[in-house]
Amino acid sequence: MQAKRTDLHESWWIRDVEIPTRLVLAPMAGVSVQAFRRQGRRYGAGLVCSEMVSCAGLHHGNERTLGYLRIAGDEHPLAVQIFGSDPAVMAEAARMVADAGADIVDINFGCPVRKVTKTGAGATLLDDPDRACEIVAAVASAVDLPVSVKMRRGLEDGSRACLDVGPRLVEAGAATLTLHPRSAKQMYTGTADHALTAKLVDLVDVPVIASGDVTSRARAQAVLAKTGASAVMIGRAAQGNPWVLREILEEGTGEPSGEEVVAELVLFMRETVRELGERRAQSFLKKFYAWYLGRGRFPRAFKAELTQLDDLDEVERRLFAATPGARFVLARLEEEQPSADEVTLDLPISIYGGG
């Protein structure tokens, strides 16, 4: 049985990759762009993850899919997550991820969304453990990087498939496992059953990351103490709220000021435009206005007003009019922000942004 460690600042290792804190920022589709990951690192995430990348898209050279492999120098350590159901194509995708400069190749065996599972990928593979193991073995053989696997408890409520499949995935070459102990059927309802996480920790001799319902410092420490996991994964709680990472790491940090919130949002907007191009960024950013400005930080009407605007310069003007002091906070943030310095497939922003 692995020792139970609850010091969130303690570093740990995934094979030969050192992770400086016990917080992992989750891979989230439509959220975990480069700007989100870089921000997470600034606020204390020891490991950040890309959103899931289609191995089929990489195989066919899809320009938008290739764009997910742009990696900035200040993101490391970084895991790039891939999904698919064909071992050979997944191995090819893993080699592309390694060439792009990722530190870890993560395999998605947990996505419950129909458009993924109907292809035989994501959480469906928990019901096909032989193929799941073939995929892990193919990826592990294809790259020198550590291979991680993110999974759910199983497809159906009450399933314990993760306890059967998990040890087999380690035998096939997985260097770490992440368990979100909800079923695929549950999606994000109910509660995460971390008693299963504790059982998985006892069954394998690699680090286990506990995912699900980690929303505060107290909850993070309780999950680590209960499960013996090496780290906790923060997902929805960090959407538009990087301060939750700081609060989990440092007790008593308190809520951000309105000026801090607006400055971080504007920086996020500018970085997203640089990354995606203005046309894609306009629609992508709308959900973030509510995430940043919610939680009682700004009036609901103000958030709704911003979502009606398609001119990002006008959104900035409205934000600065509401909180003039945010300009000074933003200037400090931009001065401290390292340059993006992407080192990947050398794709121009015009291709990634679709412009």
Side-chain angles (χ1 to χ4, degrees):
M1 180 174 178
Q2 297 180 12
K4 292 182 170 63
R5 297 161 293 193
T6 60
D7 181 359
L8 291 156
H9 283 282
E10 186 180 0
S11 64
W12 56 292
W13 296 79
I14 297 176
R15 210 172 73 191
D16 55 353
V17 177
E18 183 176 11
I19 314 298
T21 72
R22 297 193 178 278
L23 292 188
V24 178
L25 190 60
M28 291 178 281
V31 176
S32 299
V33 293
Q34 187 182 90
F36 182 80
R37 303 189 305 257
R38 296 178 75 200
Q39 183 187 65
R41 288 288 292 124
R42 280 196 291 117
Y43 274 85
L47 175 66
V48 295
C49 307
S50 76
E51 59 184 297
M52 61 181 185
V53 181
S54 166
C55 70
L58 294 178
H59 174 72
H60 293 295
N62 179 276
E63 291 179 347
R64 183 171 291 192
T65 307
L66 288 170
Y68 291 130
L69 299 188
R70 297 185 64 191
I71 297 170
D74 60 344
E75 294 187 66
H76 301 286
L78 166 73
V80 170
Q81 185 180 85
I82 57 176
F83 74 96
S85 58
D86 185 294
V89 178
M90 288 285 277
E92 177 191 20
R95 285 189 287 269
M96 296 177 73
V97 167
D99 290 343
D103 302 288
I104 296 164
V105 178
D106 186 60
I107 301 174
N108 183 303
F109 290 165
C111 181
V113 177
R114 174 64 181 161
K115 68 179 181 180
V116 172
T117 58
K118 72 180 182 181
T119 68
T124 301
L125 286 159
L126 296 174
D127 264 11
D128 191 355
D130 290 341
R131 178 173 287 271
C133 290
E134 288 175 15
I135 289 172
V136 171
V139 169
S141 297
V143 296
D144 292 329
L145 302 181
V147 174
S148 60
V149 178
K150 186 172 189 289
M151 58 184 178
R152 293 231 171 186
R153 67 181 299 162
L155 290 178
E156 299 296 326
D157 293 348
S159 171
R160 297 165 66 88
C162 60
L163 301 183
D164 296 323
V165 179
R168 292 187 60 186
L169 298 178
V170 172
E171 290 177 10
T176 186
L177 302 174
T178 298
L179 178 61
H180 182 168
R182 284 183 171 90
S183 67
K185 185 176 181 180
Q186 277 183 278
M187 299 289 286
Y188 296 99
T189 63
T191 58
D193 181 4
H194 282 296
L196 277 181
T197 311
K199 286 180 168 48
L200 182 63
V201 168
D202 287 344
L203 288 173
V204 298
D205 59 0
V206 299
V208 173
I209 301 168
S211 174
D213 299 344
V214 181
T215 56
S216 66
R217 178 178 173 84
R219 183 62 180 154
Q221 290 178 322
V223 169
L224 288 175
K226 176 179 181 177
T227 65
S230 294
V232 290
M233 181 170 278
I234 315 300
R236 289 171 292 161
Q239 293 176 345
N241 189 32
W243 300 278
V244 73
L245 301 172
R246 183 177 65 185
E247 184 270 331
I248 289 172
L249 284 173
E250 305 288 348
E251 188 173 9
T253 53
E255 273 287 302
S257 66
E259 289 77 13
E260 287 179 286
V261 171
V262 168
E264 284 289 355
L265 173 54
V266 173
L267 179 61
F268 184 81
M269 290 168 58
R270 292 179 179 180
E271 288 291 296
T272 301
V273 169
R274 178 195 58 74
E275 181 183 353
L276 302 183
E278 187 157 356
R279 180 165 58 85
R280 281 184 64 198
Q282 285 176 351
S283 58
F284 175 84
L285 286 166
K286 289 182 183 293
K287 58 181 174 283
F288 284 88
Y289 302 153
W291 287 343
Y292 274 91
L293 306 176
R295 300 175 175 86
R297 293 168 181 164
F298 286 82
R300 183 174 298 178
F302 181 57
K303 295 179 289 181
E305 177 187 338
L306 295 183
T307 63
Q308 301 306 307
L309 301 174
D310 289 324
D311 185 336
L312 295 178
D313 289 336
E314 180 61 22
V315 174
E316 280 198 25
R317 284 193 288 272
R318 302 284 182 94
L319 288 167
F320 286 137
T323 52
R327 291 183 182 274
F328 303 104
V329 180
L330 176 63
R332 175 178 55 79
L333 289 175
E334 290 187 318
E335 184 177 341
E336 296 172 352
Q337 178 92 332
S339 62
D341 187 28
E342 296 90 0
V343 280
T344 57
L345 301 182
D346 202 23
L347 292 170
I349 289 176
S350 61
I351 290 178
Y352 186 30

